[in-house]
Amino acid sequence: MSSSSSLPNDDKESELRELWATSYDGWIDAPGAGESIVYFRPAKNDADVKSAQTFGDVPPIARTQYLFAVTAHNPMGVETLAERNRRANDALLEDLKRIPNATATWESFGFSAEWREDGYVCAFEDGEEGRETM
């Protein structure tokens, strides 16, 4: 994923929101999904949601807990070397392991035809507590 580093923060955030709205997510070995990858794609509208195909079972944790996806790849959309991204994600995972109120953490990745960013999903029973923690 790439972005111009000269954009003001509001413009960067808007650009990133637009990019993520057209991307896909994959969850690796999410709790309750077994050893698998579950893929998600954005829905354009309510009709799209109702007719969506599922590729892999959506694990129960997605219906019962509050989930937050994070990555240390390419901060604020600035493309970074793969080795730096890997090290940053490794450090992020160590931080996530120390969160006492997260009920589960698993690997994930966001992607489109042009890019992929590895990351993690953290689950919380309380959405506000999860938001504050993350």
Side-chain angles (χ1 to χ4, degrees):
M1 184 161 88
S2 63
S3 172
S4 170
S5 60
S6 63
L7 291 174
N9 277 345
D10 288 346
D11 290 344
K12 279 185 191 179
E13 288 179 25
S14 178
E15 181 181 313
L16 289 173
R17 253 192 308 279
E18 228 175 273
L19 184 62
W20 279 104
T22 60
S23 67
Y24 299 83
D25 281 336
W27 292 355
I28 302 169
D29 302 337
E35 292 184 15
S36 66
I37 300 176
V38 179
Y39 292 96
F40 297 91
R41 66 175 175 81
K44 295 181 182 95
N45 53 46
D46 289 343
D48 195 22
V49 171
K50 291 176 185 169
S51 68
Q53 292 180 318
T54 302
F55 299 96
D57 293 330
V58 176
I61 198 166
R63 300 185 199 299
T64 60
Q65 304 232 341
Y66 296 88
L67 308 178
F68 298 85
V70 294
T71 184
H73 273 225
N74 300 331
M76 289 303 293
V78 177
E79 197 165 330
T80 305
L81 295 174
E83 179 59 24
R84 185 256 170 231
N85 283 331
R86 188 195 57 74
R87 284 194 317 268
N89 248 20
D90 289 348
L92 174 61
L93 179 59
E94 292 307 310
D95 288 343
L96 297 175
K97 287 178 181 178
R98 289 191 290 272
I99 296 174
N101 56 334
T103 58
T105 300
W106 62 91
E107 291 180 68
S108 66
F109 55 95
F111 67 99
S112 75
E114 293 86 31
W115 58 270
R116 173 183 164 138
E117 291 188 353
D118 295 336
Y120 306 95
V121 177
C122 290
F124 294 85
E125 289 182 356
D126 181 285
E128 286 303 313
E129 187 177 18
R131 183 180 306 278
E132 186 177 308
T133 299
M134 296 306 286

